[in-house]
């Protein structure tokens, strides 16, 4: 799994490529926490290159969602989902909770 | 895979793998079951479901049965049984009672949801049948079944046969058309030759 973080004007764009499973999810959680620990709470997660997302990866997403939204200070939104990742979010009942955008540009523009 | 001390065996309709129970083996285990599922005739969606369920189950074994430390192996056996693709996972760690794992909250406000239980939920939703058995001497065994494999293979065969039939019909039609055009061309050429002969006789 490869994670790249780009600090944009109004949000941080995090791109995740590869497998997010029990082995790699802690790296994703650490990367997301490094952003919120710096006091930045507007995050776009581009999952276009994420080929696999397990419940361990979802826990990292949920934990960041809770941190970012606390005191209405921000949000983590998802973009560019593959049909498989979309199905996983649906199975976990998360599609109604996360804001999801078809493209990264739309997700960045939402902040 | 050899660096990871994997033992792999493959028969015509059975695929075996044994790996040390640690988190960095989740990816090769996923690759193994996905390849087995594809070889057995499952489509991409069904193979992904098998991969997802196996990954969640192995992650549970490593984190809970083996307490997150490398304590033992996971044996993975995939088998094609008629219409069923059967995955059996065996470990020698601490047993647990799946009925005691609380069901995840999938509909409430996420800020109030308790995180946990999603892995087992995925396994039960993605596979048609799921059985656990726990034995202190024989080890723990999880059996997961994905159904409809033979049906899919038959469908694929039927589709392939239809495609071959259609291609043969198209080819036959093209040959027939070419023959008719050639016959017309020959007819016209004969006519022209006959006309030429009658002109020269005059």
């Amino acid at each position: 799994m490869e994670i790249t973080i780009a600090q944009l004007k109004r949000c941080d764009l995090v791109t995740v490529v590869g497998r997010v499973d029990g082995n790699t999810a802690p790296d994703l959680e650490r990367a997301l926490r490094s952003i919120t620990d710096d006091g930045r709470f507007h995050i776009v997660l581009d999952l276009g290159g994420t080929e696999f997302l397990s419940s361990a990866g979802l826990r990292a997403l949920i934990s960041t969602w809770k941190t970012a939204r606390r005191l209405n200070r921000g949000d983590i939104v998802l973009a560019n989902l593959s049909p498989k990742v979309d199905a996983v979010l649906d199975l976990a009942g998360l599609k109604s909770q996360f804001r999801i955008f078809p493209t990264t540009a739309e997700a960045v523009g939402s902040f | 895979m050899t660096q990871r001390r994997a033992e792999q065996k493959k028969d015509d309709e059975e695929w075996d793998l044994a790996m040390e129970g640690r988190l960095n083996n989740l990816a090769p285990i996923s690759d193994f079951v996905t390849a087995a599922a594809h070889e057995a005739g499952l489509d991409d969606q069904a193979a992904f479901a098998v991969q997802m369920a196996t990954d969640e189950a192995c992650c549970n074994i490593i984190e809970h049965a083996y307490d997150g430390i490398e304590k033992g192996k996971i044996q993975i056996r995939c088998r094609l049984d008629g219409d069923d693709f059967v995955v059996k996972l065996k470990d020698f760690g601490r047993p647990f009672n799946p009925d005691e794992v609380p069901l995840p909250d999938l509909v409430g406000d996420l800020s109030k949801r308790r995180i946990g239980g999603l892995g087992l939920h995925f396994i039960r939703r993605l596979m048609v049948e799921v059985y656990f058995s726990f034995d202190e001497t024989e080890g723990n065994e999880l059996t997961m079944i994905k159904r409809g494999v033979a049906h899919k293979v038959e469908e694929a065969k039927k589709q392939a046969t239809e495609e071959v039939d259609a291609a043969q019909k198209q080819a036959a039609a093209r040959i027939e058309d070419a023959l008719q055009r050639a016959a017309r061309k020959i007819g016209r050429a004969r006519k022209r030759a006959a006309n030429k002969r009658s002109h020269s006789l005059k």
Side-chain angles (χ1 to χ4, degrees), chain A residues 19-24 26 51-56 58-59 61-63 65-66 69 84-85 87-98, chain B residues 23-27 30-31 44-45 48 51-52 55-56 59 63 105-119 121-122 125-126:
Chain A
R19 267 180 76 84
V20 187
D21 60 14
N23 187 40
T24 55
E51 64 199 45
F52 185 86
L53 180 66
S54 76
S55 64
L58 292 178
R59 283 197 290 275
L61 266 57
I62 294 168
S63 156
W65 184 93
K66 287 183 176 178
R69 285 201 171 201
K84 282 174 184 167
V85 168
V88 171
L89 284 161
D90 196 27
L91 207 55
L94 293 173
K95 282 184 74 178
S96 60
Q97 302 296 309
F98 278 86
Chain B
L23 290 171
N24 65 354
N25 278 339
L26 288 174
S30 275
D31 290 345
D44 273 352
Q45 204 182 348
F48 184 75
Q51 179 193 170
M52 188 92 199
D55 178 274
E56 295 290 352
C59 197
E63 288 186 334
D105 177 5
L106 303 172
V107 289
D109 186 331
L110 188 56
S111 58
K112 297 187 183 83
R113 283 192 204 177
R114 189 190 50 80
I115 300 178
L118 271 179
H121 164 72
F122 282 168
R125 284 290 305 274
L126 293 166

Side-chain angles (χ1 to χ4, degrees), chain B residues 130-146:
Chain B
V130 178
Y131 306 107
F132 290 91
S133 75
F134 300 98
D135 189 301
E136 277 183 25
T137 48
E138 294 293 312
N140 310 314
E141 195 168 78
L142 166 61
T143 306
M144 305 184 287
I145 298 174
K146 193 81 187 160

Side-chain angles (χ1 to χ4, degrees), chain B residues 172-188:
Chain B
R174 271 202 298 270
I175 290 166
E176 181 64 28
D177 191 42
L179 285 173
Q180 281 179 7
R181 270 186 284 125
R184 282 198 296 272
K185 214 171 174 181
I186 290 166
R188 282 196 299 273

